[in-house]
Amino acid sequence: MFIIFGSPRSGTTLLASSLELHTEIVIPRETDFIVPLLFILDRIKDEKVGKKLLGEMIVATNYYPHSIGHFLNPAEVTQVIESAPYSAAELIDAIYDAVSKKAGRRMAGDKSPNDLEQIGMFGKTKVLSSEKIKLIHIVRDIRDVVLSIQGMPWGSPNIHYGFPRIWNAQNMLLHATCSRDGVRYKLIRFEDMVADPEKTFRELTDFLGLEFQTAMLNNDQRGSRYFRRSDSYHENLKQPFLTDRIAVWKREMPPDIRKTCERQAREGLEAFGYEAGNHSALAHTHSET
């Protein structure tokens, strides 16, 4: 199986719903069980106790009914857990193997922006080094990410005061940990995906060991299986790949917020190939101290 990692509003949903148009891929709607699974595996060494907790936890999560619950009922989840080795990577792989079989697909993937928030735990429980799981990492310019989050009903207008540091730390940790493994780790940029989607999805299917299918570029069908309800903040999902969402910050972001983002996330901006501005590291505003 594979896991898609990315910060909120970085194109993870667009990426996942496009990949799922491939006839051999299934990606359940956003899940919320993997992070607690990692903590249980890390903290509970008694396999019998841990597996009992996992079975109860997974089917009790908020997203279960509309994500993997669409494919596996509670009894099937318990059966998969009881049969799998007691390790994070083995359990995650076994669950998604069962999902793919139920869906009649060759492979399954997971997409949840919450995963990147606990990237350290993915490393600690050896998920990042497992040969069973491939990692797709999507990044987007933090300035556009901040603007997008500020425009969401759940977003904070003051997100720029701290989130760029978090974006930098989480994305850089994943990239630094896995970038030397070209077999299991694939980095893509949101900007490249929307500018040349065919090239990006050809690279991704090659990475996953599948044949490229033009259906993945069909925006009319995008999201029809992925979503079970209407989400206003995904209103562009069925639109063509929108290049006008690249570098929106140049047109819409106030200079002071731009400078704040650039100071906090300079390392990541440079590492992922974005222009980073030219600000002294010592020129902090009072609001950042």
Side-chain angles (χ1 to χ4, degrees):
M1 61 91 64
F2 61 91
I3 298 176
I4 295 173
F5 288 100
S7 299
R9 306 304 295 175
S10 292
T12 56
T13 300
L14 177 61
L15 171 59
S17 56
S18 296
L19 280 173
E20 218 217 355
L21 292 175
H22 195 290
T23 58
E24 296 189 88
I25 297 175
V26 59
I27 303 177
R29 189 178 169 179
E30 186 173 318
T31 63
D32 57 352
F33 75 89
I34 290 185
V35 169
L37 177 149
L38 301 179
F39 277 92
I40 289 174
L41 266 292
D42 180 58
R43 306 299 166 84
I44 307 296
K45 303 308 178 184
D46 186 310
E47 180 174 336
K48 183 177 180 180
V49 173
K51 286 189 171 183
K52 182 176 185 298
L53 287 172
L54 287 171
E56 295 173 349
M57 177 274 292
I58 290 173
V59 301
T61 55
N62 291 335
Y63 294 173
Y64 166 75
H66 301 294
S67 58
I68 65 167
H70 186 71
F71 304 93
L72 304 176
N73 63 40
E76 290 170 325
V77 171
T78 298
Q79 182 179 16
V80 170
I81 291 171
E82 289 178 347
S83 302
Y86 191 62
S87 81
E90 294 277 4
L91 284 161
I92 294 169
D93 180 65
I95 290 169
Y96 280 90
D97 182 58
V99 167
S100 65
K101 286 182 170 61
K102 267 301 190 72
R105 305 294 175 90
R106 181 174 167 184
M107 67 174 58
D110 177 86
K111 191 283 293 190
S112 174
N114 295 326
D115 290 346
L116 191 61
E117 296 177 5
Q118 295 293 338
I119 197 62
M121 189 58 71
F122 278 87
K124 185 178 182 183
T125 54
K126 304 188 185 313
V127 173
L128 298 184
S129 58
S130 170
E131 295 183 356
K132 289 184 170 291
I133 299 175
K134 290 193 173 185
L135 314 170
I136 298 174
H137 182 194
I138 183 169
V139 296
R140 184 184 185 187
D141 191 313
I142 181 57
R143 293 157 293 199
D144 283 337
V145 170
V146 165
L147 277 178
S148 186
I149 291 176
Q150 287 176 330
M152 293 296 103
W154 46 266
S156 167
N158 297 318
I159 190 81
H160 59 283
Y161 284 119
F163 184 70
R165 288 191 180 94
I166 297 172
W167 175 91
N168 188 80
Q170 293 172 346
N171 284 283
M172 284 301 298
L173 177 57
L174 175 59
H175 185 58
T177 301
C178 302
S179 60
R180 282 175 282 186
D181 186 343
V183 177
R184 297 180 307 101
Y185 173 83
K186 178 67 175 176
L187 172 70
I188 65 171
R189 302 196 316 169
F190 169 85
E191 295 79 6
D192 298 329
M193 178 177 68
V194 299
D196 193 345
E198 181 171 341
K199 180 177 183 292
T200 296
F201 285 97
R202 283 188 181 277
E203 291 177 354
L204 284 171
T205 48
D206 183 64
F207 170 70
L208 294 172
L210 301 174
E211 294 292 328
F212 172 75
Q213 294 181 358
T214 57
M216 293 184 291
L217 310 180
N218 188 348
N219 57 283
D220 291 336
Q221 298 299 315
R222 192 185 297 139
S224 59
R225 294 194 305 270
Y226 190 76
F227 293 105
R228 313 302 177 201
R229 68 178 185 215
S230 174
D231 292 307
S232 60
Y233 44 90
H234 290 127
E235 60 187 359
N236 289 328
L237 194 61
K238 289 188 177 295
Q239 299 296 318
F241 291 94
L242 301 173
T243 55
D244 64 348
R245 305 317 297 163
I246 298 175
V248 179
W249 62 270
K250 291 184 177 181
R251 305 188 299 271
E252 300 181 7
M253 179 169 275
D256 59 329
I257 296 180
R258 173 180 61 81
K259 291 177 182 179
T260 297
C261 292
E262 291 169 352
R263 290 193 193 100
Q264 295 181 29
R266 173 173 297 277
E267 182 185 17
L269 286 168
E270 293 177 348
F272 299 126
Y274 299 112
E275 57 181 280
N278 185 23
H279 311 293
S280 168
L282 299 177
H284 293 286
T285 63
H286 176 73
S287 62
E288 291 183 279
T289 59

